[in-house]
Amino acid sequence: MMKEIKNRLELLELDLKNLEKTLKNEGPYGTTEDWLHVLHKSRKIEEFAITQLALLKYRERQDHSG
C-alpha cells in the first residue's frame, strides 16, 4: 500500500511541475473555487500524513517501553 501511495505522489509531483511550467508560460487559469478545492484536498493529504506519522511514533514508543 505504501508503495502505491508513493507512486501516486510521484505522479502528482510530475503533474504539478508540468502545471507550473504551463502557468509560467500562459498565466493562471481556473476559478477561485477550483483552487480552493485543490487547497482543501492537499490539506486533507497533509493531515492524513501527519496522523500516520503520529501513529508510527506512538507505536515506536509502545515497542520501546514494553
Side-chain angles (χ1 to χ4, degrees), residues 5-55:
I5 291 171
K6 286 181 181 179
N7 287 339
R8 287 184 184 189
L9 288 174
E10 287 174 11
L11 289 173
L12 178 59
E13 185 177 14
L14 288 174
D15 287 345
L16 289 173
K17 284 180 183 179
N18 289 334
L19 177 60
E20 184 178 22
K21 287 178 190 175
T22 300
L23 292 175
K24 283 181 181 178
N25 294 330
E26 299 176 15
Y29 62 93
T31 66
T32 299
E33 290 80 19
D34 292 336
W35 289 108
L36 287 172
H37 180 74
V38 169
L39 184 60
H40 176 72
K41 290 293 183 183
S42 63
R43 285 182 180 158
K44 287 181 89 172
I45 292 168
E46 184 180 22
E47 288 170 3
F48 179 71
I50 290 168
T51 300
Q52 294 304 305
L53 287 169
L55 289 170

